[in-house]
Amino acid sequence: MSKREIIKIGHPTLSQKAEPINNINQEIVDLAKDMVETMHQAPGIGLAAPQVNVSRRLITVDLSVGEKKDELIVMINPEILEEEGEMIGEEGCLSVPGIYEKVLRPARIVVRGYNLDEQEIIIEARDLLARVLYHEIDHLNGKLFIDRLSPLKRRLLKNRLKKEMAKSEGKG
Ligand code: K2U
Ligand code: ZN
């Protein structure tokens, strides 16, 4: 298991549609383990494979940030089956350093995917879990949370983002 570099906004992989996974082999198992370690160490409560520069449909979510083993979700080829209602909440992203904004998302979703044992998993989620799952599935479709903000808000963010990127690059 090893921590991987998290790529930042502007990297082309973050705006690509990730490829489905048709064979859960050792490479995919190793990637998932590395993503969990990378997510916990960031620290983060979610991570998508494109964020570690791998354009495959794999996400990890852990609202406990490693504190509760049974809260860890590893999902292959996740798809949203149902969406219901609306909620607004603040989001951040490990690939968009220093930016935190309110985002409108569905209040309840049902997601289907597969775990590393190739078993189908279906999750009905609300509140923060629904938000993080949707945020990570957006990454698989080349979408960042700031893409869901108004054009005016995105324009106002541009300068802040430049400063934050310079800061985060300065950290090495
Ligand atoms: O995709 C990511 O970079 C993961 C985000 C997950 C997230 C999505 C929506 C709303 C909040 C977070 C990162 O975990 S952001 C860092 C963070 C860490 C702990 C708690 C909240 C945010
Ligand atoms: Zn993100």
mmCIF file of all heavy atoms in Angstrom, residues 43-46 51 90-95 131-132 135-136 139, ligand 1:
data_model
loop_
_atom_site.group_PDB
_atom_site.id
_atom_site.type_symbol
_atom_site.label_atom_id
_atom_site.label_comp_id
_atom_site.label_asym_id
_atom_site.label_seq_id
_atom_site.Cartn_x
_atom_site.Cartn_y
_atom_site.Cartn_z
ATOM 1 N N PRO A 43 -6.225 14.821 5.124
ATOM 2 C CA PRO A 43 -7.297 13.813 5.231
ATOM 3 C C PRO A 43 -8.496 14.196 4.388
ATOM 4 O O PRO A 43 -8.723 15.411 4.114
ATOM 5 C CB PRO A 43 -7.638 13.878 6.716
ATOM 6 C CG PRO A 43 -7.444 15.322 7.072
ATOM 7 C CD PRO A 43 -6.305 15.821 6.203
ATOM 8 N N GLY A 44 -9.231 13.173 3.987
ATOM 9 C CA GLY A 44 -10.447 13.415 3.211
ATOM 10 C C GLY A 44 -11.508 12.405 3.573
ATOM 11 O O GLY A 44 -11.229 11.388 4.196
ATOM 12 N N ILE A 45 -12.746 12.684 3.150
ATOM 13 C CA ILE A 45 -13.838 11.740 3.402
ATOM 14 C C ILE A 45 -14.312 11.087 2.110
ATOM 15 O O ILE A 45 -15.282 10.325 2.097
ATOM 16 C CB ILE A 45 -15.015 12.426 4.136
ATOM 17 C CG1 ILE A 45 -15.486 13.689 3.389
ATOM 18 C CG2 ILE A 45 -14.626 12.775 5.557
ATOM 19 C CD1 ILE A 45 -16.684 14.377 4.047
ATOM 20 N N GLY A 46 -13.593 11.398 1.022
ATOM 21 C CA GLY A 46 -13.907 10.761 -0.257
ATOM 22 C C GLY A 46 -12.733 10.921 -1.193
ATOM 23 O O GLY A 46 -11.891 11.815 -1.015
ATOM 24 N N GLN A 51 -8.530 11.422 -9.326
ATOM 25 C CA GLN A 51 -7.762 12.353 -8.484
ATOM 26 C C GLN A 51 -6.343 11.866 -8.188
ATOM 27 O O GLN A 51 -5.500 12.657 -7.750
ATOM 28 C CB GLN A 51 -8.497 12.585 -7.159
ATOM 29 C CG GLN A 51 -9.802 13.364 -7.312
ATOM 30 C CD GLN A 51 -10.445 13.619 -5.992
ATOM 31 O OE1 GLN A 51 -11.189 12.779 -5.473
ATOM 32 N NE2 GLN A 51 -10.174 14.752 -5.398
ATOM 33 N N GLU A 90 -21.927 22.908 2.154
ATOM 34 C CA GLU A 90 -20.572 23.324 1.771
ATOM 35 C C GLU A 90 -19.742 22.120 1.315
ATOM 36 O O GLU A 90 -19.839 21.046 1.892
ATOM 37 C CB GLU A 90 -19.878 24.003 2.952
ATOM 38 C CG GLU A 90 -18.528 24.622 2.568
ATOM 39 C CD GLU A 90 -18.064 25.688 3.538
ATOM 40 O OE1 GLU A 90 -18.445 26.860 3.349
ATOM 41 O OE2 GLU A 90 -17.350 25.343 4.474
ATOM 42 N N GLU A 91 -18.965 22.345 0.281
ATOM 43 C CA GLU A 91 -18.053 21.309 -0.213
ATOM 44 C C GLU A 91 -16.634 21.856 -0.375
ATOM 45 O O GLU A 91 -16.432 23.044 -0.571
ATOM 46 C CB GLU A 91 -18.550 20.761 -1.560
ATOM 47 C CG GLU A 91 -19.908 20.114 -1.454
ATOM 48 C CD GLU A 91 -20.311 19.307 -2.676
ATOM 49 O OE1 GLU A 91 -19.458 19.037 -3.542
ATOM 50 O OE2 GLU A 91 -21.503 18.976 -2.752
ATOM 51 N N GLY A 92 -15.702 20.912 -0.268
ATOM 52 C CA GLY A 92 -14.318 21.188 -0.606
ATOM 53 C C GLY A 92 -13.863 20.062 -1.518
ATOM 54 O O GLY A 92 -14.637 19.151 -1.796
ATOM 55 N N CYS A 93 -12.623 20.138 -1.984
ATOM 56 C CA CYS A 93 -12.122 19.069 -2.854
ATOM 57 C C CYS A 93 -10.605 19.034 -2.749
ATOM 58 O O CYS A 93 -9.947 20.080 -2.802
ATOM 59 C CB CYS A 93 -12.538 19.334 -4.300
ATOM 60 S SG CYS A 93 -12.012 18.042 -5.443
ATOM 61 N N LEU A 94 -10.056 17.854 -2.597
ATOM 62 C CA LEU A 94 -8.596 17.721 -2.459
ATOM 63 C C LEU A 94 -7.875 18.121 -3.752
ATOM 64 O O LEU A 94 -6.675 18.360 -3.740
ATOM 65 C CB LEU A 94 -8.258 16.274 -2.077
ATOM 66 C CG LEU A 94 -8.841 15.827 -0.733
ATOM 67 C CD1 LEU A 94 -8.654 14.336 -0.533
ATOM 68 C CD2 LEU A 94 -8.261 16.620 0.419
ATOM 69 N N SER A 95 -8.649 18.210 -4.844
ATOM 70 C CA SER A 95 -8.041 18.631 -6.114
ATOM 71 C C SER A 95 -8.270 20.110 -6.405
ATOM 72 O O SER A 95 -7.822 20.635 -7.427
ATOM 73 C CB SER A 95 -8.617 17.796 -7.279
ATOM 74 O OG SER A 95 -8.272 16.429 -7.094
ATOM 75 N N ARG A 131 -24.062 13.514 -0.446
ATOM 76 C CA ARG A 131 -23.248 14.584 -1.029
ATOM 77 C C ARG A 131 -21.875 14.088 -1.489
ATOM 78 O O ARG A 131 -21.439 14.357 -2.615
ATOM 79 C CB ARG A 131 -23.097 15.725 -0.009
ATOM 80 C CG ARG A 131 -22.281 16.911 -0.505
ATOM 81 C CD ARG A 131 -22.334 18.075 0.474
ATOM 82 N NE ARG A 131 -23.691 18.571 0.666
ATOM 83 C CZ ARG A 131 -24.329 19.361 -0.232
ATOM 84 N NH1 ARG A 131 -23.722 19.706 -1.373
ATOM 85 N NH2 ARG A 131 -25.553 19.785 0.002
ATOM 86 N N VAL A 132 -21.225 13.329 -0.620
ATOM 87 C CA VAL A 132 -19.870 12.871 -0.955
ATOM 88 C C VAL A 132 -19.910 11.851 -2.090
ATOM 89 O O VAL A 132 -19.113 11.941 -3.036
ATOM 90 C CB VAL A 132 -19.171 12.285 0.286
ATOM 91 C CG1 VAL A 132 -17.760 11.815 -0.069
ATOM 92 C CG2 VAL A 132 -19.074 13.344 1.388
ATOM 93 N N HIS A 135 -20.460 13.745 -5.242
ATOM 94 C CA HIS A 135 -19.225 14.498 -5.538
ATOM 95 C C HIS A 135 -18.185 13.587 -6.192
ATOM 96 O O HIS A 135 -17.533 13.957 -7.166
ATOM 97 C CB HIS A 135 -18.694 15.097 -4.232
ATOM 98 C CG HIS A 135 -17.412 15.842 -4.347
ATOM 99 N ND1 HIS A 135 -17.298 17.193 -4.097
ATOM 100 C CD2 HIS A 135 -16.144 15.427 -4.630
ATOM 101 C CE1 HIS A 135 -16.028 17.562 -4.268
ATOM 102 N NE2 HIS A 135 -15.321 16.519 -4.577
ATOM 103 N N GLU A 136 -18.045 12.372 -5.637
ATOM 104 C CA GLU A 136 -17.038 11.445 -6.189
ATOM 105 C C GLU A 136 -17.458 10.909 -7.551
ATOM 106 O O GLU A 136 -16.623 10.778 -8.454
ATOM 107 C CB GLU A 136 -16.791 10.285 -5.223
ATOM 108 C CG GLU A 136 -16.326 10.684 -3.827
ATOM 109 C CD GLU A 136 -15.232 11.733 -3.819
ATOM 110 O OE1 GLU A 136 -14.397 11.774 -4.751
ATOM 111 O OE2 GLU A 136 -15.228 12.554 -2.906
ATOM 112 N N HIS A 139 -16.612 13.249 -10.182
ATOM 113 C CA HIS A 139 -15.195 13.159 -10.606
ATOM 114 C C HIS A 139 -15.042 12.130 -11.729
ATOM 115 O O HIS A 139 -14.254 12.329 -12.661
ATOM 116 C CB HIS A 139 -14.300 12.737 -9.431
ATOM 117 C CG HIS A 139 -13.833 13.866 -8.563
ATOM 118 N ND1 HIS A 139 -13.099 14.922 -9.029
ATOM 119 C CD2 HIS A 139 -13.969 14.075 -7.233
ATOM 120 C CE1 HIS A 139 -12.822 15.749 -8.029
ATOM 121 N NE2 HIS A 139 -13.335 15.266 -6.933
HETATM 122 O O1 K2U B 1 -13.241 14.586 -3.795
HETATM 123 C C1 K2U B 1 -12.614 14.983 -2.831
HETATM 124 O O2 K2U B 1 -11.631 15.731 -2.904
HETATM 125 C C2 K2U B 1 -13.069 14.568 -1.486
HETATM 126 C C3 K2U B 1 -13.674 15.666 -0.684
HETATM 127 C C4 K2U B 1 -14.963 15.059 -0.217
HETATM 128 C C5 K2U B 1 -16.064 15.989 0.047
HETATM 129 C C6 K2U B 1 -17.117 16.055 -0.854
HETATM 130 C C7 K2U B 1 -18.198 16.851 -0.588
HETATM 131 C C8 K2U B 1 -18.246 17.585 0.586
HETATM 132 C C9 K2U B 1 -17.176 17.541 1.475
HETATM 133 C C10 K2U B 1 -16.077 16.726 1.211
HETATM 134 C C11 K2U B 1 -12.621 15.953 0.404
HETATM 135 O O3 K2U B 1 -12.741 15.031 1.416
HETATM 136 S S1 K2U B 1 -12.585 17.590 0.949
HETATM 137 C C12 K2U B 1 -11.738 17.615 2.428
HETATM 138 C C13 K2U B 1 -12.628 17.321 3.607
HETATM 139 C C14 K2U B 1 -12.180 16.517 4.619
HETATM 140 C C15 K2U B 1 -12.985 16.236 5.702
HETATM 141 C C16 K2U B 1 -14.265 16.773 5.800
HETATM 142 C C17 K2U B 1 -14.738 17.573 4.777
HETATM 143 C C18 K2U B 1 -13.909 17.875 3.675
#
